[in-house]
Amino acid sequence: MNVPLGGGSIDVSLPDCDVTVAEPPGGESVDVRSAARRALEEPLGAPLAERIDASDDVAIVVTDMTREAPDDVLLEVLLERLADLGVAREQVTVVVGLGLHRPMTDAELESMLGPHADLAVNHNPESVVEVGTVGGSEVYGASGNASDGVPVEIGLPVANADAVLSTGVVEPHQYAGFSGGAKTVVIGAGGESLIRHTHGPETLAREGVRLGRLEGNPFRELLDEAGDLVGIDLSLNLTHGPTGVLGVRAGDGRRIVRELATVARDARSVPVEREYDAVVCGVGAPKDANLYQATRSATYVALGDRNPLREGGRLVVPAALPEGAGEGTGERRFSRRLREADDAESLYGELREGYDPGAQRAFVVARVLCEHEIVVTNSEAPDVVEECLMRAEPDVCDAVEPGSDVLVVPDALNTLLVA
């Protein structure tokens, strides 16, 4: 069987093992361009013409290269519609929603956005302005006392715009349930304050903060509240599955996330009826560019609706890792906490007391490592893997013991394992 590695794939042969492959049902794919145009014509909520004036300066926040999305197509469709409404191209700034990831290079921007790369600026998380607070009495500080809420900071190109639009991908997310909607703007083009709180141990430990859950998810609710505060005029999002893009919706962020999450669940859910000695967690490009992103495949499997591993079972992640642990602020914080730790148990206990944004990935990785070994194979950075409390092996077959019951999840980030 094949699992992804970088931009290609590798053949995984485990002849001495009992192997089960988790294949989601998929769904019927759509043409992205025509589906995006139709989504703007039939929005969930008021049409764009009622949300924007021809004289407006417009900021369009797009995802960065850590999300697999045809941003060039979504952006072009938005620019076409804006032009129809009298908004000139010169009135538009495209803001790349980096969060705390590294800035994209000019070459990467051109590859992602094509002829519209000249409109793009990388979000600068240090050049932000506070636009208000969210959470109120439901937000608690380290002392356990209620606070006045969490400051919401937004990048200047977005804060200074007359109208704010966004693209995005609605896909399973470890904390928000599903990504997309307001998240692209308030996290991708926001400051550290909201990232620090939403990704902190108090929030991540709350009931309802989990992969695949939207209702009753306080992480998601804070993002949506922040989106209301920023004033996101319209989002254009898609979801995808094994067969490609499955749907595109435009309009109000909450509504499009709910609709596309339903499409995603139908296409990606795989029932798991027994437990396994090992799970091979496929990831591939762009998520296997660095260890920060690639470990998502392991934590999505172990901390999802249904952990398929037996006690002491291991997670095997084939990942290319051309960037090593990662080069952004968040990635460096993640790798530093893992490198400096003596073991997963002590690190998890330490991080429960708090951490800087970015280190939340070390927190959830440590949580998984307390129960399961993570083995990263086929990488260009085995030394980095070993330094970060995980084991490196040359190939998948080296990471799985003969005679094991093995579950292979070729697309672990986009497969929902359910009871």
Side-chain angles (χ1 to χ4, degrees):
M1 83 214 71
N2 288 330
V3 296
L5 182 73
S9 64
I10 55 172
D11 179 49
V12 173
S13 179
L14 300 169
D16 299 324
C17 297
D18 183 2
V19 177
T20 302
V21 181
E23 293 282 6
E28 187 173 346
S29 62
V30 299
D31 177 75
V32 179
R33 190 179 302 274
S34 59
R37 287 171 174 160
R38 185 165 58 252
L40 288 173
E41 291 169 0
E42 303 170 359
L44 301 174
L48 189 58
E50 295 179 14
R51 302 173 186 251
I52 201 164
D53 294 325
S55 60
D56 284 346
D57 288 325
V58 179
I60 303 177
V61 185
V62 302
T63 58
D64 72 354
M65 62 185 178
T66 63
R67 298 247 186 267
E68 186 178 358
D71 279 300
D72 56 339
V73 178
L74 297 181
L75 177 59
E76 187 152 319
V77 170
L78 278 174
L79 290 172
E80 289 173 355
R81 185 65 185 131
L82 288 171
D84 291 342
L85 297 174
V87 178
R89 191 174 185 276
E90 294 73 23
Q91 295 168 239
V92 178
T93 301
V94 177
V95 181
V96 181
L98 300 170
L100 296 179
H101 303 158
R102 70 163 176 82
M104 293 183 63
T105 66
D106 290 344
E108 288 168 340
L109 290 171
E110 186 168 351
S111 176
M112 185 174 83
L113 300 177
H116 306 301
D118 62 305
L119 298 177
V121 296
N122 282 307
H123 167 60
N124 179 357
E126 297 184 358
S127 181
V128 296
V129 60
E130 184 177 327
V131 295
T133 62
V134 295
S137 61
E138 294 185 359
V139 173
Y140 291 83
S143 66
N145 297 320
S147 77
D148 293 328
V150 184
V152 176
E153 301 163 332
I154 203 73
L156 290 176
V158 177
N160 293 335
D162 300 307
V164 180
L165 313 179
S166 71
T167 65
V169 181
V170 177
E171 61 187 4
H173 189 274
Q174 188 89 69
Y175 320 126
F178 283 85
S179 61
K183 183 177 181 295
T184 305
V185 177
V186 300
I187 298 295
E192 281 206 19
S193 58
L194 186 63
I195 299 174
R196 182 183 300 276
H197 178 79
T198 54
H199 292 69
E202 295 90 356
T203 300
L204 298 191
R206 293 184 67 184
E207 181 67 26
V209 177
R210 64 181 300 126
L211 182 77
R213 179 179 295 182
L214 293 176
E215 300 304 322
N217 184 331
F219 187 106
R220 182 81 240 179
E221 290 165 359
L222 276 173
L223 299 189
D224 289 336
E225 190 179 343
D228 294 339
L229 193 60
V230 171
I232 304 170
D233 294 277
L234 180 137
S235 296
L236 177 64
N237 285 188
L238 60 83
T239 195
H240 51 73
T243 58
V245 173
L246 302 177
V248 185
R249 299 288 188 276
D252 299 325
R254 288 178 179 83
R255 295 179 64 184
I256 65 176
V257 170
R258 283 198 301 269
E259 283 213 7
L260 290 175
T262 299
V263 174
R265 285 193 192 97
D266 291 343
R268 301 176 184 212
S269 294
V270 177
V272 177
E273 298 175 352
R274 60 190 180 96
E275 295 180 329
Y276 297 86
D277 300 310
V279 178
V280 179
C281 311
V283 52
K287 292 291 190 184
D288 75 342
N290 59 60
L291 190 62
Y292 178 99
Q293 294 292 343
T295 55
R296 292 178 187 273
S297 63
T299 59
Y300 277 31
V301 167
L303 301 177
D305 181 68
R306 171 72 156 91
N307 181 356
L309 284 167
R310 293 190 174 101
E311 184 178 351
R314 70 185 53 163
L315 297 141
V316 181
V317 181
L321 310 186
E323 297 178 3
E327 301 168 10
T329 301
E331 287 92 338
R332 292 196 302 272
R333 290 171 176 170
F334 153 81
S335 62
R336 179 178 62 82
R337 297 307 292 261
L338 287 166
R339 286 197 317 270
E340 293 178 355
D342 293 327
D343 55 71
E345 289 79 8
S346 61
L347 176 60
Y348 183 61
E350 180 184 332
L351 292 175
R352 285 178 66 91
E353 301 301 316
Y355 44 76
D356 289 329
Q360 79 280 345
R361 179 112 295 273
F363 178 65
V364 294
V365 167
R367 180 178 171 185
V368 171
L369 285 170
C370 288
E371 304 293 335
H372 304 293
E373 183 182 29
I374 299 176
V375 186
V376 179
T377 71
N378 303 86
S379 87
E380 300 173 24
D383 292 344
V384 171
V385 173
E386 296 278 354
E387 291 170 354
C388 291
L389 301 182
M390 290 167 268
R391 180 156 67 92
E393 291 289 354
D395 194 71
V396 173
C397 63
D398 300 308
V400 178
E401 295 178 1
S404 296
D405 284 341
V406 181
L407 178 66
V408 177
V409 189
D411 189 3
L413 295 181
N414 295 305
T415 302
L416 294 171
L417 303 178
V418 298

